Amino acid sequence: MCGIFCCFSKSSEPHSCLENDLLRSLQKRGPDAQSVLNLNTASATFAGFVLWHQGVYLCKQPMESSEYVLLFNGDIFNLEALTDASGISDTEWLFHKLSKCSTDGEILNCFRLIEGPYCLIFYDKLEGNIYFARDSLGRNSLLIENTKDHLRILSTSRSNDENKNTTVELPPLGIFKINIKNFDKSTVFPWHHIDDYWKSQANILESVCGIKLFVEQAVEPYWFSQQSSLEKYTFNFYSFDAQELSAVQLYDHLLKDKEILEALREFSSLLENSVKQRVQLTTKVCAKCSILPCNHSKVAILFSGGIDCTILALLADKFVDKADSIDLINVSFQQANSELENWNVPDRESARQSLADLKALCPNRTWNFIEVNVTRKTLYTNLKENIKHLIYPLNTVLDESIGCAFWFASQGYGLLDGSPFESNAKVVIVGSGADELFGGYIRHKNAYKRCNGTHEDKEKCLYEELEMDWQRIPTRNLARDDRVIADSGRTPRSPFVEENVVKFARSLKPRQRCCFLYDDGVGDKLFLRLYGYKAGLTTPTFLKKRAIQFGSKIANKKENAKDRSLYLNIKPFDKNNHMVWPSHHV
């Protein structure tokens, strides 16, 4: 994970576009190296802050030649398939590749081949063209601010009066191209065909930033445009008349179906490869060590004990060096309306239960179960000083709750067996995407249950809800989570949000992903739960879905998640530095 920043001034007057507070935020994202480049000919500033994962040596940013400048934040996971050069970093490879391009079409061809989470800024000095983008799945954060003074493109920002209502998360619509002669117009090369949701996101970008978009040819990434052969399964969870069976009996019955077993094997191969890439593609030393041997944890997993993260932990054990420990980080908050410090919240209890399964299945692995306990005062102090800026420009109660939970967990400070402990991992594995892909939210169940009509009508309603959730995940979750987790100097990686895993899951019909004839904890995410059950995870398989904001007790169930958060918009301390408690937290 890196922090990237560029600013193009619109006037000849000197303009300090990289303020000290913003500089510190970007440094946290990339603690291993930093560099600032000023281009007087373009009144531009480029800055790169690097967290080193790939290559035999650290690659500083921005990368510059006589013609080009590149800032890249991300991971190209299929780099070995794209080059014969060993030991090269993905940033260095991409810069060399783009530097050879002489047309827009050649640039698009580069991005058709790339797989992995990333965002980038590429500047052509001779033509004055700025290319910038988030990958087609929108996994990493990139913000854009277009004011009367400057155009800024950056990983994270700071909420203040100057940029209020001018900052927006760049939607992953495609590759954008702006010429410095006209900052109010942008060409966009869509990742794929344009639909209504794409148009709505484009309209928001145009209205907030005042940039008129002009659409040209689509990029069509190779993984996306390949004719899928995956729509070959015909099994239907609703066709198994087994409602009288217990959950265990039902799962045993389903696992006798040869087609379901084949689908699970195919999914397993894809998910294992995704996890392997995400836990192995980092340095051989942890964040605190500089020389080998180092058997400290390089990988941490945000661990609630649910089926998603426990599957990822089980698969991580396959691919992390057996001498290394793996950190399982669990977060608990002091309840909003209580003076007591009771850390045995639902997610703590379920995590301990699922940890027992992992220890039984992986007895030779050292699992560091890190308990992060957060008082209300600690929560609001950090929210005031830092976290609210990372969540910005989002501002709802839900953003506050989830953003804070992920921030405290990813900091990695807690108790290990009752003693203070800090994670040294450089990679944080998260289970994002599983609920959206496999039908894990209560709204998915409601879409099916509340639809009046035939089973086909109900399935159509469920499909539309799943599609809407998948389209929204870059703006509702991924960019925000990237900003709050990367503030710890660690890279968030989401194995479920991987190109081939996504393609497989979305090729399944809703009736092959979940089945709402059965109870919560059984029929929701049925395909994924079945996969976990087959792998031996008997406890987490049947745990009911709990959102992290409720399982960790950070949120109040009486709050409306969509409401604007008071704490993201006001100061929680008065002039005497006394705590001010907004009514929705009391």
PDB file of all heavy atoms in Angstrom, residues 12 80 95 127 178 335 400 452 468 478 485-486 549:
ATOM      1  N   SER A  12      -0.657  31.228 -11.305  1.00  0.00           N
ATOM      2  CA  SER A  12       0.795  31.396 -11.231  1.00  0.00           C
ATOM      3  C   SER A  12       1.250  31.740  -9.816  1.00  0.00           C
ATOM      4  O   SER A  12       2.445  31.741  -9.520  1.00  0.00           O
ATOM      5  CB  SER A  12       1.249  32.514 -12.186  1.00  0.00           C
ATOM      6  OG  SER A  12       0.561  33.727 -11.889  1.00  0.00           O
ATOM      7  N   GLU A  80       4.024 -12.104 -12.917  1.00  0.00           N
ATOM      8  CA  GLU A  80       4.872 -13.183 -13.438  1.00  0.00           C
ATOM      9  C   GLU A  80       4.415 -13.630 -14.814  1.00  0.00           C
ATOM     10  O   GLU A  80       5.227 -14.048 -15.638  1.00  0.00           O
ATOM     11  CB  GLU A  80       4.869 -14.375 -12.471  1.00  0.00           C
ATOM     12  CG  GLU A  80       5.701 -14.146 -11.215  1.00  0.00           C
ATOM     13  CD  GLU A  80       5.820 -15.403 -10.381  1.00  0.00           C
ATOM     14  OE1 GLU A  80       5.288 -16.466 -10.828  1.00  0.00           O
ATOM     15  OE2 GLU A  80       6.422 -15.354  -9.298  1.00  0.00           O
ATOM     16  N   PHE A  95       5.718   1.343 -15.210  1.00  0.00           N
ATOM     17  CA  PHE A  95       6.276   2.590 -15.730  1.00  0.00           C
ATOM     18  C   PHE A  95       6.988   2.355 -17.060  1.00  0.00           C
ATOM     19  O   PHE A  95       6.798   3.114 -18.025  1.00  0.00           O
ATOM     20  CB  PHE A  95       7.240   3.200 -14.717  1.00  0.00           C
ATOM     21  CG  PHE A  95       7.795   4.533 -15.135  1.00  0.00           C
ATOM     22  CD1 PHE A  95       6.962   5.628 -15.298  1.00  0.00           C
ATOM     23  CD2 PHE A  95       9.152   4.694 -15.379  1.00  0.00           C
ATOM     24  CE1 PHE A  95       7.463   6.860 -15.696  1.00  0.00           C
ATOM     25  CE2 PHE A  95       9.666   5.917 -15.774  1.00  0.00           C
ATOM     26  CZ  PHE A  95       8.826   7.003 -15.935  1.00  0.00           C
ATOM     27  N   GLU A 127       2.589  16.152 -23.727  1.00  0.00           N
ATOM     28  CA  GLU A 127       1.225  16.437 -24.179  1.00  0.00           C
ATOM     29  C   GLU A 127       0.390  17.145 -23.109  1.00  0.00           C
ATOM     30  O   GLU A 127      -0.680  17.680 -23.404  1.00  0.00           O
ATOM     31  CB  GLU A 127       0.522  15.138 -24.590  1.00  0.00           C
ATOM     32  CG  GLU A 127       1.185  14.408 -25.750  1.00  0.00           C
ATOM     33  CD  GLU A 127       1.123  15.214 -27.041  1.00  0.00           C
ATOM     34  OE1 GLU A 127       0.170  16.007 -27.210  1.00  0.00           O
ATOM     35  OE2 GLU A 127       2.037  15.055 -27.877  1.00  0.00           O
ATOM     36  N   ILE A 178      -7.317  13.953 -18.372  1.00  0.00           N
ATOM     37  CA  ILE A 178      -7.539  15.401 -18.347  1.00  0.00           C
ATOM     38  C   ILE A 178      -6.289  16.088 -18.893  1.00  0.00           C
ATOM     39  O   ILE A 178      -5.167  15.721 -18.535  1.00  0.00           O
ATOM     40  CB  ILE A 178      -7.826  15.902 -16.917  1.00  0.00           C
ATOM     41  CG1 ILE A 178      -9.197  15.419 -16.446  1.00  0.00           C
ATOM     42  CG2 ILE A 178      -7.747  17.419 -16.836  1.00  0.00           C
ATOM     43  CD1 ILE A 178      -9.543  15.835 -15.032  1.00  0.00           C
ATOM     44  N   GLN A 335     -19.564  -0.384  25.485  1.00  0.00           N
ATOM     45  CA  GLN A 335     -20.911  -0.127  24.983  1.00  0.00           C
ATOM     46  C   GLN A 335     -21.285   1.332  25.162  1.00  0.00           C
ATOM     47  O   GLN A 335     -20.908   1.980  26.145  1.00  0.00           O
ATOM     48  CB  GLN A 335     -21.915  -1.038  25.694  1.00  0.00           C
ATOM     49  CG  GLN A 335     -23.225  -1.175  24.956  1.00  0.00           C
ATOM     50  CD  GLN A 335     -23.980  -2.417  25.359  1.00  0.00           C
ATOM     51  OE1 GLN A 335     -23.400  -3.365  25.855  1.00  0.00           O
ATOM     52  NE2 GLN A 335     -25.288  -2.408  25.143  1.00  0.00           N
ATOM     53  N   GLU A 400     -19.017   5.912  10.059  1.00  0.00           N
ATOM     54  CA  GLU A 400     -18.317   6.156  11.323  1.00  0.00           C
ATOM     55  C   GLU A 400     -18.069   4.839  12.065  1.00  0.00           C
ATOM     56  O   GLU A 400     -16.942   4.554  12.505  1.00  0.00           O
ATOM     57  CB  GLU A 400     -19.141   7.092  12.197  1.00  0.00           C
ATOM     58  CG  GLU A 400     -18.568   7.309  13.599  1.00  0.00           C
ATOM     59  CD  GLU A 400     -19.626   7.808  14.567  1.00  0.00           C
ATOM     60  OE1 GLU A 400     -20.375   8.729  14.217  1.00  0.00           O
ATOM     61  OE2 GLU A 400     -19.687   7.250  15.676  1.00  0.00           O
ATOM     62  N   ASN A 452     -43.866 -10.489  -3.768  1.00  0.00           N
ATOM     63  CA  ASN A 452     -45.112 -11.212  -4.027  1.00  0.00           C
ATOM     64  C   ASN A 452     -45.078 -11.751  -5.450  1.00  0.00           C
ATOM     65  O   ASN A 452     -45.001 -10.991  -6.404  1.00  0.00           O
ATOM     66  CB  ASN A 452     -46.318 -10.279  -3.847  1.00  0.00           C
ATOM     67  CG  ASN A 452     -46.465  -9.818  -2.411  1.00  0.00           C
ATOM     68  OD1 ASN A 452     -46.287 -10.603  -1.489  1.00  0.00           O
ATOM     69  ND2 ASN A 452     -46.787  -8.545  -2.235  1.00  0.00           N
ATOM     70  N   MET A 468     -27.204  -4.756  -7.164  1.00  0.00           N
ATOM     71  CA  MET A 468     -27.084  -3.401  -6.650  1.00  0.00           C
ATOM     72  C   MET A 468     -26.000  -3.326  -5.572  1.00  0.00           C
ATOM     73  O   MET A 468     -25.180  -2.399  -5.558  1.00  0.00           O
ATOM     74  CB  MET A 468     -28.415  -2.920  -6.079  1.00  0.00           C
ATOM     75  CG  MET A 468     -28.383  -1.485  -5.576  1.00  0.00           C
ATOM     76  SD  MET A 468     -30.022  -0.855  -5.138  1.00  0.00           S
ATOM     77  CE  MET A 468     -30.442  -1.954  -3.776  1.00  0.00           C
ATOM     78  N   LEU A 478     -15.177  -0.276  -0.017  1.00  0.00           N
ATOM     79  CA  LEU A 478     -13.784  -0.575  -0.313  1.00  0.00           C
ATOM     80  C   LEU A 478     -12.850   0.624  -0.172  1.00  0.00           C
ATOM     81  O   LEU A 478     -11.774   0.515   0.412  1.00  0.00           O
ATOM     82  CB  LEU A 478     -13.666  -1.178  -1.718  1.00  0.00           C
ATOM     83  CG  LEU A 478     -14.428  -2.492  -1.934  1.00  0.00           C
ATOM     84  CD1 LEU A 478     -14.242  -2.982  -3.368  1.00  0.00           C
ATOM     85  CD2 LEU A 478     -13.971  -3.559  -0.945  1.00  0.00           C
ATOM     86  N   ILE A 485      -7.613   1.454   7.030  1.00  0.00           N
ATOM     87  CA  ILE A 485      -6.669   0.380   7.336  1.00  0.00           C
ATOM     88  C   ILE A 485      -5.249   0.790   6.970  1.00  0.00           C
ATOM     89  O   ILE A 485      -4.296   0.550   7.722  1.00  0.00           O
ATOM     90  CB  ILE A 485      -7.072  -0.919   6.615  1.00  0.00           C
ATOM     91  CG1 ILE A 485      -8.395  -1.457   7.176  1.00  0.00           C
ATOM     92  CG2 ILE A 485      -5.984  -1.986   6.753  1.00  0.00           C
ATOM     93  CD1 ILE A 485      -8.950  -2.652   6.433  1.00  0.00           C
ATOM     94  N   ALA A 486      -5.079   1.429   5.822  1.00  0.00           N
ATOM     95  CA  ALA A 486      -3.735   1.813   5.370  1.00  0.00           C
ATOM     96  C   ALA A 486      -3.095   2.853   6.281  1.00  0.00           C
ATOM     97  O   ALA A 486      -1.876   3.021   6.268  1.00  0.00           O
ATOM     98  CB  ALA A 486      -3.798   2.346   3.937  1.00  0.00           C
ATOM     99  N   GLN A 549     -20.245  -3.600  13.234  1.00  0.00           N
ATOM    100  CA  GLN A 549     -20.614  -2.505  14.121  1.00  0.00           C
ATOM    101  C   GLN A 549     -21.485  -2.974  15.278  1.00  0.00           C
ATOM    102  O   GLN A 549     -21.499  -2.354  16.347  1.00  0.00           O
ATOM    103  CB  GLN A 549     -21.292  -1.370  13.349  1.00  0.00           C
ATOM    104  CG  GLN A 549     -22.625  -1.714  12.702  1.00  0.00           C
ATOM    105  CD  GLN A 549     -22.478  -2.217  11.283  1.00  0.00           C
ATOM    106  OE1 GLN A 549     -21.480  -2.849  10.931  1.00  0.00           O
ATOM    107  NE2 GLN A 549     -23.479  -1.942  10.459  1.00  0.00           N
TER     108      GLN A 549
END
